[in-house]
Amino acid sequence: MIITPEDFVTFWKRAKENTSSSMSSLHFRHYKAAAQSEQINKILAQQITVICRSGIPSERWSIGLQLMLEKL
């Protein structure tokens, strides 16, 4: 599985901004804003790809990643 920067941007352009995305109270708008930066897109897409390929999310991401995978 490879997440490209284009995949990252496409996903976040469709997300609703007011949705809370983590226990830290971050909202999707943070990621939507990040999707406007080419450098941040590359970094976050690569990070998600590494996590998906290894199957070992960081402890902080484990709950959110589990939910994201169930939705797929």
Side-chain angles (χ1 to χ4, degrees):
M1 172 178 244
I2 296 174
I3 306 296
T4 66
E6 293 78 17
D7 294 332
F8 182 83
V9 170
T10 300
F11 176 83
W12 287 110
K13 281 187 176 181
R14 293 181 303 183
K16 295 179 182 177
E17 286 191 25
N18 293 327
T19 303
S20 178
S21 62
S22 70
M23 295 174 66
S24 66
S25 299
L26 291 177
H27 292 270
F28 278 15
R29 71 178 66 118
H30 293 102
Y31 296 102
K32 287 179 76 77
Q36 304 212 4
S37 167
E38 195 172 315
Q39 289 177 329
I40 294 174
N41 290 334
K42 287 179 184 178
I43 292 167
L44 292 175
Q46 186 176 32
Q47 181 181 30
I48 294 168
T49 297
V50 168
I51 289 170
C52 288
R53 289 178 134 192
S54 71
I56 305 171
S58 67
E59 194 170 316
R60 193 185 117 218
W61 279 31
S62 62
I63 294 170
L65 184 60
Q66 181 179 5
L67 292 173
M68 186 167 52
L69 290 175
E70 287 175 4
K71 288 180 182 180
L72 290 175

